[in-house]
Each structure stands twice: as C-alpha cells, then as structure tokens.
Amino acid sequence: MSQRTKIKALLQSQQTDIDVTVKGWVRAFRSNRFIALNDGSTNNNIQIVVDFENTDPALLKRITVGAAISVSGKLIASLGKGQTVEVIAANIDILGDSDPEKYPIQPKKHSLEFLRENAHLRFRTSTFGSIFRLRNSLAFAVHQFFQERGFVYLHTPVITQSDAEGAGEAFHVTNFDLNNIPKTDTGEVDYKQDFFGTSTNLTVSGQLEGELGAMALSDIYTFGPTFRAENSNTTRHLAEFWMIEPEVAFNDLDDNMDLAEDMLKYVIKYALDKNPDDIEFLTQRLQEEEKQKPQNERSEMSLLEKLQFCLDNDFERLTYTEAIDILKESTPNKKKKFQYPIEGWGTDLQSEHERYLVEKHFKKPVILTDYPKAIKAFYMRQNEPDAQGRETVRAMDILFPGIGEIVGGSQREERLDKLEQRMDEMGIPKDELWWYLDTRRFGACEHAGFGLGFERLVLFVTGMGNIRDVIPFPRFPKNAEF
Ligand code: 4AD
Ligand code: MG
C-alpha cells in the first residue's frame, strides 16, 4: 500500500520536485491531458498532468468524471494559471470506474433540487463539500466552546415517554404488529403489552432530562438528534434535526442570553478561521445566485460580510411587548403588507414579523424576551403581571437575518407551586413528570437554558436557502430516502 498525501496538504506544500501519491475522484478531464482531482480534504482540486502520448489509450478512456483514481508522480510548481502546484503523473491506477453515460453528477451546474434527489452523490460537488466541512467545524466548535467553559456533555435519551414541548408533535415508537394492535377491554391501545410497557415517542427535546443533570452538575449541554412530526414543508423545518441544549444552574435570563450570544459568536468565528476557503467559495456562490434576482431583492452584504457583521455587533435585546409596538407602527403593517396583520398583544409572531424586525428595522440579530405566557411552554418562569395585567414568561428567542428563530430558550420555573399550577392549566400530566417535579422538591434553584437548532446555524453560516441542503440526509414529510 502506498502512502497517500491529501490534496489539501499538497496544495499547501512548501516543497516541490518530490514524489507523491494522491487519490481521489475525477472532477473533470480535459484535452486528454489535465485531470481535476478532488479528495474532499479541500474544495480546491489538484491538477494532474497526463503525458497522453505515452499513456495506454485504454487507460485514458477510463479517466472519466466520478472515477476513483490513484496517481503517483512528481509535485512541481505549476506553470499554468489558477494553481501553484500540480502533479506530473508517472503512474495512474483506476480504482473504481464511473460510466460517464450513467454518472449523474456532471461537471456543470446542477440544480439543488436535482442534487437533493441524488443526495448520495451530492457530497462530490464543490458546494456540498464546503457545506459539510463547515458543518463539521461548527459541531466541533460547539463542543470546544462548552468544554472550555467546564460544561458536561450529557447524553439524553432518544426514546422518551414525554413530549417536552407539549406540542403533540412526537413520533410514536412501538414494536407492535401494526396489523394486530393489542386493545384493552374498553377498546384503547394496550401499551402495557408494548415493548416498554407504556406509550413512547422519539424525543422532541432533551431539555427536561438536561435540567435534571444541571441540578447536580451545574453546567451541562446536550447535542443530539431531535424529532418533530410537524407537517411543515418549509425551508426552515426538518422532521429530524440536531439540537444543542445547554442548561445552567444559578443562571437567570440575562446570563442565558449572554451565554447564547457568546456561543454563536464563538462558533461562527471558529468557522471563519478554520474554513476560509469554503466560506469564500460559498460567498461567491451566493453572489452568483443573487445576480439572478432583481436589484432591490439582493442583500446588501455578502455572506462573508454578514458573518463578520454578526461578530462585530451586539445583538439587539428587547421584550416581546416592545417588538409588538414597533411592528404595529411599521410601514408594512400600516400598508397591510403583512399576511398576518399585527392587531393586538398576545399572538405569536410569524416569520414575516421576525424577519422585518431583524432585516429591516434593527438590521442585526435580535433577542426577544418575555413572551406572553399563553403561547409558551409550561416550564418557563412566570413574571409578575404588568400594570395592564398582561402575563408573560421569561422566555427568549434569538432571531437571525435570513433565518428567523435560531435559538429558543428561557429561565425555568423553579417554584413548585407555580409550576404545578401551570401544568394543571395546560393539561400536562403531573404524574408522568414526577421525576421532573422532584427537582423542584429537592434543592430547587434558579436555572436557565436554551436550544440552538444546529441546521439553522449551518444555514446561516453557509448562506444556503433551504435547510434540506445543510444536513446530509434530510427527513421531511413524504421523504426518508437514503
Ligand atoms: O424553540 P424550540 O422548540 O425549543 C425547545 O425545544 C426547548 N426545549 C429548548 C430549550 O430551552 N432547551 O426549539 C429550539 C430550536 C429552535 O429555535 C430552532 O432553531 C430549532 O430548535 N428547531 C428546528 N430546527 C429544524 N427543524 C425543526 N422542525 C425545528 N424545530 C425547532
Ligand atoms: Mg421556539
């Protein structure tokens, strides 16, 4: 077996006139002479120069787009434009042929829809190579951020009995024979006979279990897949997505906001430092795409500028009530341009409202706090009603340009009586969550946490427009292929 050098290392090599072996997939082969070879270590290809006059024509024919090849030869300073080094091939082995008539990925621009249908091969395009290298860096940066701060990475269960968000969007988990489901005398599904002896589902959030950890380890975070059966066919929703959920004892909502803002800036900075080539490539890609749009719809900043801007500016912090006042007075609201006009206090914000606040009004990331109690989850800490008797909770949502909600979190209700009362009001079964309530019975304390939708972060950093393009194999209504 020969030692191979990765293309990224070759392209950065200070040494030339050395013998090297390189392996990868052919991106293009032109004039029977120049192979563009890529191995995924970087979005840049290395050029292989073939001495075609002295190469077996049968071998030349097998150098096709998509073929896996191994090349040994000399790394030299390149004379041509566009690359600093290239490899003069001494020997080429075909490792895996690729029939050019049948290989779906051609050296031309494919639509993102087409590539989604060929998600098993889309890694081999420059765009998806860059996206998944960035996704990797961001995931690593998340761990590094929390590890540097002494957080404990806690693995919360994927199969649970509870629907933490109480939104009723959980996928059932069962090993019943679906054609012969055991029923009780009264005709209900008899979960006692199911695998776990109870009804179970895939987790929608690790938060409740995360809180248990925080009530002893102080600072924890989860980072795992979560599942929601919401039937939303949007560019921002997946049925399976990855969530990062820190939970911190003794933190209040202000600490929570600081933590979230620090984390977002840290991981974005990490990606900028670690993957400059990928960001540069995606910045250009977005610029090309924007050229198709009319002038007034193009964004003012490039991807790179947007990311830098996010690092350089404090996020705007305001309450839901203040936001409603701004929206009520806004031009689109007055001109009836919103699909959902802002009439009064108390309704949830639609993405058109969030985007107005972030993209038009403040022109930077925004943290909204203190939402109406009625539209938020049971576990959020209740505020005293305001002068007009309006009831709010210590919630926070972070809104990002082009994305909308990227983070949702809150300070938690640590007072047992208030929590139980809220669960009763919302019909959340206290007996099923006895273990959660125990943390309020024994050593309860102020604490707070949030959930970051990892794919929404990757969307922001890559500048892509559809969440299905930033996770390797997206799950969404009517699709679970690959
Ligand atoms: O706002 P959510 O529902 O909050 C929670 O689940 C809390 N338990 C978090 C916590 O406080 N520990 O979801 C958190 C984030 C959202 O802000 C969004 O970024 C992302 O998760 N998210 C989704 N991402 C992709 N597809 C979906 N269907 C998503 N639903 C939520
Ligand atoms: Mg939310």
Side-chain angles (χ1 to χ4, degrees):
M1 199 189 73
S2 60
Q3 274 286 323
R4 86 170 161 122
T5 310
K6 288 200 179 187
I7 291 171
K8 183 177 183 177
L10 286 182
L11 293 174
Q12 292 169 347
S13 175
Q14 301 298 326
Q15 271 183 304
T16 48
D17 297 315
I18 47 171
D19 289 322
V20 296
T21 298
V22 55
K23 298 181 183 183
W25 293 268
V26 176
R27 283 282 173 90
F29 185 34
R30 66 186 167 86
S31 314
N32 250 357
R33 191 164 178 80
F34 302 108
I35 304 172
L37 194 69
N38 191 283
D39 66 0
S41 58
T42 154
N43 63 342
N44 300 308
N45 303 324
I46 192 148
Q47 174 156 287
I48 311 289
V49 183
V50 184
D51 177 8
F52 64 90
E53 280 157 333
N54 296 306
T55 305
D56 177 4
L59 179 76
L60 284 177
K61 262 202 179 137
R62 293 173 63 197
I63 304 174
T64 56
V65 175
I69 65 171
S70 173
V71 178
S72 29
K74 237 180 199 39
L75 184 73
I76 61 154
S78 176
L79 301 173
K81 275 212 175 100
Q83 66 272 328
T84 53
V85 291
E86 61 191 15
V87 175
I88 305 297
N91 186 56
I92 299 179
D93 285 324
I94 309 290
L95 305 176
D97 287 286
S98 172
D99 182 343
E101 301 294 316
K102 294 190 180 136
Y103 183 57
I105 312 289
Q106 292 300 315
K108 62 161 196 166
K109 198 170 157 57
H110 290 290
S111 74
L112 293 171
E113 292 75 25
F114 173 84
L115 291 172
R116 229 170 273 143
E117 286 158 18
N118 290 279
H120 59 306
L121 296 171
R122 68 179 175 171
F123 300 106
R124 297 190 190 184
T125 65
S126 302
T127 299
F128 285 93
S130 287
I131 292 171
F132 293 118
R133 276 186 300 273
L134 276 165
R135 186 181 162 108
N136 167 66
S137 292
L138 288 165
F140 184 79
V142 164
H143 283 295
Q144 187 163 288
F145 172 84
F146 286 117
Q147 295 295 328
E148 279 176 358
R149 283 157 187 76
F151 282 61
V152 173
Y153 178 29
L154 195 74
H155 294 98
T156 51
V158 168
I159 300 174
T160 70
Q161 290 180 57
S162 62
D163 171 2
E165 294 302 299
E169 285 161 345
F171 287 100
H172 296 295
V173 174
T174 178
N175 75 337
F176 277 153
D177 170 0
L178 293 185
N179 293 313
N180 186 18
I181 297 174
K183 298 277 172 67
T184 61
D185 297 342
T186 50
E188 272 145 30
V189 177
D190 187 6
Y191 286 111
K192 284 208 177 68
Q193 295 187 50
D194 203 352
F195 189 89
F196 296 105
T198 177
S199 134
T200 49
N201 54 266
L202 293 178
T203 186
V204 296
S205 158
Q207 180 195 320
L208 302 190
E209 290 90 351
E211 282 187 55
L212 311 182
M215 288 299 105
L217 302 163
S218 292
D219 308 57
I220 67 95
Y221 69 106
T222 73
F223 189 170
T226 47
F227 309 86
R228 296 196 187 174
E230 48 192 345
N231 206 355
S232 15
N233 251 312
T234 78
T235 56
R236 300 286 175 268
H237 291 87
L238 289 164
E240 175 178 301
F241 64 100
W242 288 66
M243 188 148 56
I244 295 124
E245 295 186 277
E247 192 69 38
V248 184
F250 318 114
N251 264 11
D252 64 12
L253 194 69
D254 289 318
D255 303 320
N256 206 31
M257 287 191 275
D258 291 343
L259 181 68
E261 184 168 344
D262 286 351
M263 180 200 62
L264 285 165
K265 288 180 170 166
Y266 181 100
V267 300
I268 292 168
K269 171 142 195 336
Y270 183 92
L272 280 169
D273 292 345
K274 179 83 185 186
N275 299 69
D277 290 356
D278 292 316
I279 297 210
E280 170 65 25
F281 174 82
L282 291 169
T283 298
Q284 276 173 21
R285 180 192 169 277
L286 195 61
Q287 247 149 16
E288 288 300 312
E289 204 164 78
E290 294 253 304
K291 279 189 197 150
Q292 318 293 322
K293 295 185 186 167
Q295 192 81 43
N296 62 338
E297 284 176 28
R298 293 182 202 167
S299 64
E300 289 159 27
M301 280 187 251
S302 75
L303 174 62
L304 185 59
E305 287 166 337
K306 263 194 274 188
L307 298 176
Q308 195 57 50
F309 181 85
C310 183
L311 300 185
D312 297 341
N313 289 280
D314 290 340
F315 298 180
E316 190 72 34
R317 300 180 185 190
L318 70 158
T319 65
Y320 164 91
T321 305
E322 288 163 338
I324 286 287
D325 289 341
I326 292 170
L327 288 167
K328 239 191 256 167
E329 296 306 315
S330 69
T331 318
N333 199 48
K334 287 184 164 164
K335 289 193 169 164
K336 306 216 177 327
K337 288 273 165 63
F338 284 142
Q339 199 188 337
Y340 300 90
I342 298 282
E343 272 143 11
W345 191 93
T347 51
D348 209 354
L349 298 181
Q350 302 294 324
S351 75
E352 56 178 348
H353 308 134
E354 297 177 340
R355 296 186 68 159
Y356 173 82
L357 289 170
V358 173
E359 289 157 31
K360 297 279 187 301
H361 189 83
F362 290 111
K363 294 190 195 294
K364 56 160 135 159
V366 168
I367 313 184
L368 290 187
T369 63
D370 302 283
Y371 281 75
K373 178 171 144 180
I375 58 171
K376 288 291 184 185
F378 73 95
Y379 51 71
M380 297 189 180
R381 195 174 199 282
Q382 298 162 45
N383 289 319
E384 286 301 312
D386 71 4
Q388 296 166 56
R390 298 184 296 205
E391 296 191 300
T392 55
V393 285
R394 292 244 80 190
M396 66 162 199
D397 274 7
I398 303 187
L399 314 177
F400 258 39
I403 307 291
E405 179 189 337
I406 194 166
V407 162
S410 69
Q411 189 175 324
R412 316 307 188 190
E413 184 55 85
E414 81 284 11
R415 298 163 296 185
L416 182 64
D417 54 335
K418 296 259 183 201
L419 184 59
E420 286 189 321
Q421 189 191 343
R422 192 69 192 131
M423 291 171 82
D424 288 341
E425 282 166 15
M426 296 178 74
I428 310 239
K430 283 185 301 204
D431 52 342
E432 277 176 26
L433 289 178
W434 61 273
W435 43 271
Y436 184 69
L437 291 168
D438 258 7
T439 56
R440 274 61 172 176
R441 291 193 183 101
F442 310 114
C445 66
E446 187 170 73
H447 62 290
F450 62 84
L452 165 69
F454 186 58
E455 283 72 23
R456 294 200 184 166
L457 171 69
V458 184
L459 259 186
F460 181 71
V461 173
T462 58
M464 297 300 289
N466 191 325
I467 201 163
R468 295 172 189 180
D469 294 331
V470 299
I471 186 166
F473 301 107
R475 267 68 182 114
F476 52 89
K478 303 283 175 286
N479 183 75
E481 188 137 59
F482 307 111

